[in-house]
Amino acid sequence: VLPGARRRFGVVAMASAGQKVYAPGVAVSEGNGGLPKISLKSPHGSEAEIYLFGACVTSWKVPNGKDLLFVRPDAVFNGQKPISGGIPHCFPQFGPGPMQQHGFARNVNWSITDSEVTEGDPTVTLELKDDSYSRSMWDFSFQALYKVVLHSTSLSTTLKIINTDDKPFSFTSALHTYFSASIAGVSVKGLKGSKTLNKDPDPKNPLEGKEERDEVTFPGFVDCVYLGAPSELTLDNGLGDKIVISNTNWSDAVLWNPHLQMEACYKDFVCVENAKIETVQLGPKESWVAEQKIELI
């Protein structure tokens, strides 16, 4: 393939084997609990895993073999409950509200619409459309497309929400990313000056404020929304890794660590989430796109 060239591979059925053909570096197999799992393998040695259930990225390994994402020990892979860890979707609702916590997108099966190789990087696109289950909670016609690209030392995602209804709708969203960490040594840089909604001590009545610290640390329970957050944050995971979390159009951020509410595992992860807390309004045929890139530096 010429440098900069893109090779596209539609999901084509093979008549003989009844199997699908995907781009080089993209494979589908049976994962935990028998759930279908996409594996991305880069020629540079990095790897990622994505479950079709919830379109949840559960693993991102850099070339040295280290997995920079975290899946909680209480995570279940039964197709009944969202996968607790990796990069779960929150859509069309972030947090509590009229429908189930964080919406339904993390609790349903997505489908593969495309796989390709972009400048040597394996890429897959997943799709979610409305059905009777989604409409029972949120009575709108929509299409969600989620593109995941595995680079040598980074993972990029693009989420596109399209209003396919004949009436407007609104939503909130987030990528609830769990990073492997040693919580006592974790810090997040880049949030100084942002408006904060601190859900500690009362999540139903968050305290408005302003972040004054150059580095946010996690000495105890943390659940804080940052409105109008910058497009780039730097996470020191306390394990010797620094990860730049950059985005386009995810205007807000959320930091979360449950501390003693999850005594079994709180020391081993931190959530640094790109989010859209303020409601997005979409008219018929309109779309909204947000990108995230997590990169080891």
Side-chain angles (χ1 to χ4, degrees):
V1 181
L2 295 171
R6 293 161 65 91
R7 293 176 64 192
R8 301 187 66 84
F9 295 78
V11 182
V12 183
M14 287 176 61
S16 56
Q19 295 179 325
K20 306 275 176 120
V21 178
Y22 302 101
V26 180
V28 178
S29 61
E30 193 174 283
N32 292 333
L35 297 178
K37 177 184 75 175
I38 305 165
S39 298
L40 302 181
K41 291 192 176 182
S42 159
H44 305 288
S46 53
E47 299 181 9
E49 294 181 349
I50 311 157
Y51 277 78
L52 291 185
F53 184 73
C56 187
V57 179
T58 53
S59 176
W60 168 44
K61 291 180 180 175
V62 288
N64 66 10
K66 198 171 192 180
D67 199 332
L68 298 177
L69 298 180
F70 181 80
V71 175
R72 285 174 14 200
D74 62 339
V76 292
F77 292 82
N78 62 4
Q80 303 294 318
K81 185 182 175 188
I83 297 168
S84 301
I87 311 179
H89 285 272
C90 304
F91 175 85
Q93 171 187 292
F94 174 78
M99 67 187 85
Q100 59 185 264
Q101 172 85 358
H102 290 320
F104 53 74
R106 64 186 189 143
N107 203 28
V108 290
N109 286 307
W110 295 52
S111 59
I112 301 172
T113 63
D114 193 22
S115 64
E116 59 185 293
V117 176
T118 309
E119 297 181 353
D121 295 325
T123 304
V124 67
T125 302
L126 290 83
E127 179 186 55
L128 181 66
K129 290 183 173 180
D130 57 285
D131 62 9
S132 57
Y133 177 69
S134 71
R135 282 180 169 273
S136 70
M137 291 171 273
W138 197 60
D139 194 15
F140 297 102
S141 176
F142 73 93
Q143 179 188 28
L145 293 168
Y146 187 54
K147 182 177 181 179
V148 183
V149 186
L150 176 65
H151 313 278
S152 57
T153 55
S154 66
L155 186 79
S156 299
T157 65
T158 303
L159 178 64
K160 183 176 186 178
I161 306 297
I162 305 159
N163 182 346
T164 56
D165 212 314
D166 56 8
K167 56 186 182 288
F169 63 63
S170 60
F171 66 90
T172 54
S173 187
L175 296 177
H176 200 303
T177 310
Y178 288 72
F179 291 96
S180 289
S182 176
I183 197 66
V186 169
S187 66
V188 178
K189 286 183 184 177
L191 288 164
K192 187 175 183 179
S194 296
K195 180 182 177 181
T196 55
L197 297 175
N198 196 337
K199 297 183 181 182
D200 180 32
D202 183 0
K204 292 182 180 177
N205 292 290
L207 295 169
E208 290 191 22
K210 184 178 177 182
E211 184 55 71
E212 305 288 354
R213 294 169 290 179
D214 291 317
E215 294 188 5
V216 179
T217 55
F218 295 77
F221 176 82
V222 173
D223 189 358
C224 192
V225 170
Y226 292 81
L227 298 176
S231 60
E232 187 173 296
L233 304 176
T234 303
L235 166 67
D236 183 330
N237 65 8
L239 298 168
D241 308 300
K242 287 194 175 177
I243 300 164
V244 172
I245 303 157
S246 55
N247 83 84
T248 303
N249 216 26
W250 289 110
S251 56
D252 311 307
V254 182
L255 300 183
W256 180 64
N257 181 272
H259 199 54
L260 296 178
Q261 292 179 8
M262 290 185 190
E263 198 161 1
C265 64
Y266 81 91
K267 295 178 182 177
D268 301 323
F269 77 91
V270 65
C271 285
V272 183
E273 310 168 32
N274 275 320
K276 195 74 177 176
I277 305 298
E278 296 179 341
T279 303
V280 178
Q281 306 272 355
L282 284 185
K285 297 188 174 63
E286 290 184 343
S287 60
W288 174 86
V289 180
E291 300 174 5
Q292 169 176 283
K293 184 177 185 181
I294 49 179
E295 181 170 17
L296 179 67
I297 59 168

